[in-house]
Amino acid sequence: MANVHSAISFGLVNIPIVYNPIIKNNDTSFHQLHKKCLHRIRYQKYCEHCKKIVTEADLIKGYEYEKDAFITFTKEELTNMQIDSKETIEIISFVPENEIKPFYYEKSYVLTTPKKAKAYSLFLEVLRKSKKVAVAKTTIGSKFYYCLLRHFEGNILMSTIYFEEEINLPETNVEAKFTKQELDLAMKLVEQLSGHFTPESYEDDYQKGIKEAINEKIEGKEITKKAKKKKPTMKDLVTSLQKSLEVS
């Protein structure tokens, strides 16, 4: 997503902002090739009924409401159904941040201002001083979202959130009896492994391995399977905790 200009609607105040995506995809991309000649495979849209390849201009959106029965929508009809908040981020309420369960969060953006705007600075201070997050609604691309706005290091951080009907949280009952010795050993292990959150030190080992393998392939080397470390099997929880303390 490229940086997009929009505005926060705070009552009758309009605050110009720019969406700045925080996350970039770090995955290595592979192409599908024909094994025989190593040329790339191309995908074409094909109509089985007409027995012909079709172009983008030939396509419309359809919803299958029963087996093999469709209703169709034109681009104009889909555009007409878009909500009023298409061009804005409309604030609807302010809530305590601790009321929001972590699984509601989806994607995050930093909302900066394209120029020194008093309204932006005022709203930022409102978020900081109130210690609350703003609940808002907006549209990104063609999709409608509710989102949360919070003060973050001198900028506004916006996180889109999932709808309640998208959450699938199973009922769990994990309560089981454990001894004081087991708890004490587990707490010692926590203490032994404690530190500070340093995301810069966490590497994507899988992607790192792929990049190394790519370089080795380019150099004509053979890729061999790396040996996995075998973890010893422990008979009981106390022994497992004690051994964990010895090796950590």
Side-chain angles (χ1 to χ4, degrees):
M1 172 186 173
N3 292 358
V4 176
H5 290 251
S6 185
I8 297 171
S9 175
F10 178 39
L12 297 178
V13 179
N14 209 47
I15 308 167
I17 59 92
V18 177
Y19 285 89
N20 299 276
I22 297 175
I23 304 301
K24 64 178 182 178
N25 192 328
N26 191 41
D27 291 350
T28 303
S29 296
F30 288 95
H31 296 294
Q32 289 192 327
L33 309 177
H34 184 191
K35 186 176 180 180
K36 181 179 178 180
C37 63
L38 298 185
H39 279 72
R40 284 187 60 181
I41 299 299
R42 304 292 180 181
Y43 291 94
Q44 297 175 315
K45 294 180 171 67
Y46 181 78
C47 176
E48 291 182 351
H49 180 267
C50 298
K51 308 297 182 186
K52 62 181 288 188
I53 295 169
V54 296
T55 66
E56 194 68 30
D58 298 318
L59 304 179
I60 57 173
K61 299 280 188 179
Y63 177 79
E64 189 176 22
Y65 61 93
E66 58 183 51
K67 181 66 174 175
D68 295 328
F70 296 88
I71 51 171
T72 62
F73 290 88
T74 65
K75 287 184 178 179
E76 184 180 5
E77 287 174 326
L78 292 171
T79 299
N80 291 339
M81 289 189 291
Q82 291 179 347
I83 62 168
D84 292 338
S85 62
K86 169 74 175 169
E87 304 299 330
T88 61
I89 303 166
E90 183 185 348
I91 305 298
I92 58 172
S93 67
F94 290 83
V95 301
E97 187 173 359
N98 61 9
E99 290 184 1
I100 305 157
K101 295 179 176 66
F103 49 73
Y104 279 101
Y105 292 96
E106 189 186 15
K107 294 181 180 177
S108 293
Y109 306 81
V110 170
L111 306 184
T112 57
T113 179
K115 56 184 179 180
K116 289 185 178 179
K118 185 189 290 185
Y120 181 95
S121 299
L122 175 64
F123 186 69
L124 192 63
E125 180 62 12
V126 165
L127 291 174
R128 187 192 69 80
K129 197 166 185 179
S130 68
K131 293 184 172 59
K132 291 186 177 181
V133 296
V135 180
K137 58 183 180 180
T138 192
T139 301
I140 302 175
S142 60
K143 187 174 178 183
F144 172 72
Y145 290 94
Y146 275 90
C147 55
L148 304 171
L149 277 61
R150 62 167 58 76
H151 179 280
F152 176 74
E153 297 182 356
N155 287 298
I156 297 169
L157 182 71
M158 184 184 85
S159 300
T160 57
I161 58 175
Y162 292 106
F163 291 98
E164 180 67 25
E165 58 264 31
E166 294 179 287
I167 304 298
N168 181 26
L169 190 65
E171 292 185 11
T172 57
N173 182 11
V174 297
E175 290 187 16
K177 291 182 180 180
F178 49 82
T179 66
K180 183 178 182 303
Q181 182 188 15
E182 290 166 341
L183 177 59
D184 289 343
L185 287 169
M187 292 302 293
K188 282 182 182 178
L189 184 57
V190 170
E191 184 63 31
Q192 199 162 299
L193 296 173
S194 291
H196 294 282
F197 182 59
T198 54
E200 66 276 7
S201 67
Y202 308 146
E203 293 186 344
D204 187 336
D205 293 335
Y206 177 66
Q207 289 299 321
K208 182 181 177 182
I210 287 178
K211 290 177 173 66
E212 288 173 353
I214 288 171
N215 290 330
E216 289 175 8
K217 278 274 189 179
I218 292 171
E219 294 170 4
K221 297 178 182 178
E222 185 181 347
I223 307 302
T224 57
K225 186 176 181 180
K226 294 180 180 178
K228 292 184 179 180
K229 293 181 181 178
K230 281 188 119 181
K231 290 187 177 181
T233 304
M234 301 298 165
K235 293 181 179 180
D236 60 78
L237 186 55
V238 169
T239 305
S240 297
L241 289 165
Q242 288 172 335
K243 292 292 183 182
S244 299
L245 285 166
E246 290 173 11
V247 300
S248 63

